Amino acid sequence: MIEPVQLPAPWRDARLTVVVPTYNEAGNLPVLVERLLALPLPGLKVLVADDNSPDGTGEVADKLAIEHPDRVQVVHRAGKEGLGRAYVDGIGRALDGGAEYVAQMDADLSHPPEALPGMLGALLSTQAGVVIGSRYVPGGQLDENWPLYRRALSGWANLYVHTLLRVRIRDLTAGFKIWRADALREIGLDRVQSNGYSFQVEMHYLATKLGHTILEVPIRFEERREGISKMTTATKIESALMPFKLRSRHRNIEG
């Protein structure tokens, strides 16, 4: 586990909301929230967007919100509508709640919470609209236990999207990042239509089209500790078709 960066005031007091979509993450969520709230970021809040998990993740999240009423919020969604819809809902609520910066991260502990202060510092010290915790820039690492087929799929997906969309980001499918609130408002969550993991690509594509600077910093990506991956065949098909849809859907958008 890395040691979190100690940011100077007033940076460490920034109003940062971490949006965490969940579906069957009852075992991982308490560990993630504990690590997030232990960070030297007193302005950090956690917003859990749960898609009515059958394993009781929603109830676990409610208990965490009772224990930390000023720092943990839970959104109970009707059912599993996909990662993209959960993020749109959660990010919209974070912006409405006054967040200056909004982070995205998975609940499965694959993203190191301790990297957030450094990512926030990188955002605040530059003109970037978003900072990505990247697996594929120099210094980035993949867990040795990450399955070979997942490595191949991730590498192929990045190459495929790069070829079609010409977006200069090494980790186009990354799900760990911090956005400036004004960048998110300019992108407009109502524009985003992706349901699954292609949500990440659509957000990066829109940010690029609108002229926002995108900064990648290296992280170590860990294999999930509990539960199973939510990657389905339908998700893979959506992700494969999405670049073609994005070029058509957003062809008139310019920064």
Side-chain angles (χ1 to χ4, degrees), residues 24-252:
N24 288 351
E25 298 288 357
N28 290 320
L29 186 62
V31 179
L32 175 62
V33 170
E34 179 183 4
R35 287 171 64 180
L36 284 169
L37 297 185
L39 295 175
L41 297 173
L44 181 149
K45 296 184 179 181
V46 182
L47 191 154
V48 179
D50 184 66
D51 275 4
N52 197 22
S53 299
D55 75 338
T57 302
E59 289 78 4
V60 171
D62 284 337
K63 290 179 181 177
L64 292 167
I66 292 171
E67 293 172 10
H68 309 282
D70 297 324
R71 302 193 70 186
V72 178
Q73 177 185 355
V74 185
V75 177
H76 293 282
R77 294 166 45 75
K80 191 177 181 182
E81 298 178 14
L83 183 72
R85 295 303 91 200
Y87 263 130
V88 166
D89 191 352
I91 291 172
R93 291 171 186 264
L95 293 175
D96 290 343
E100 298 174 294
Y101 308 95
V102 179
Q104 298 174 226
M105 68 186 306
D106 293 345
D108 61 7
L109 303 174
S110 58
H111 300 143
E114 292 75 21
L116 277 172
M119 291 168 63
L120 180 60
L123 187 71
L124 290 168
S125 61
T126 66
Q127 297 300 312
V130 58
V131 170
I132 296 171
S134 176
R135 299 164 287 186
Y136 302 129
V137 294
Q141 297 178 324
L142 288 171
D143 192 315
E144 296 81 4
N145 295 318
W146 213 39
L148 183 60
Y149 81 92
R150 291 291 303 277
R151 291 171 180 261
L153 179 62
S154 177
W156 176 85
N158 273 281
L159 176 62
Y160 173 75
V161 176
H162 271 294
T163 302
L164 291 175
L165 298 182
R166 305 293 183 185
V167 177
R168 293 187 176 183
I169 302 173
R170 295 206 179 187
D171 199 346
L172 264 166
T173 58
F176 187 30
K177 65 200 80 170
I178 302 181
W179 296 88
R180 290 184 186 271
D182 56 359
L184 289 168
R185 292 191 179 97
E186 186 175 359
I187 287 171
L189 296 174
D190 56 321
R191 283 190 176 124
V192 181
Q193 298 183 29
S194 303
N195 291 326
Y197 290 86
S198 55
F199 168 82
Q200 314 293 4
V201 174
E202 184 166 14
M203 291 292 284
H204 295 154
Y205 184 61
L206 284 167
T208 299
K209 291 273 285 184
L210 290 166
H212 290 286
T213 298
I214 299 172
L215 180 64
E216 292 183 84
V217 299
I219 64 160
R220 176 179 169 83
F221 183 87
E222 302 285 349
E223 174 63 305
R224 70 161 43 246
R225 296 194 183 178
E226 294 190 28
I228 60 173
S229 171
K230 312 303 188 298
M231 182 73 73
T232 64
T233 299
T235 298
K236 294 174 186 176
I237 292 172
E238 184 204 16
S239 298
L241 295 175
M242 186 53 59
F244 297 99
K245 294 180 179 179
L246 292 181
R247 289 195 304 188
S248 174
R249 182 186 302 160
H250 302 310
R251 63 182 178 275
N252 295 322

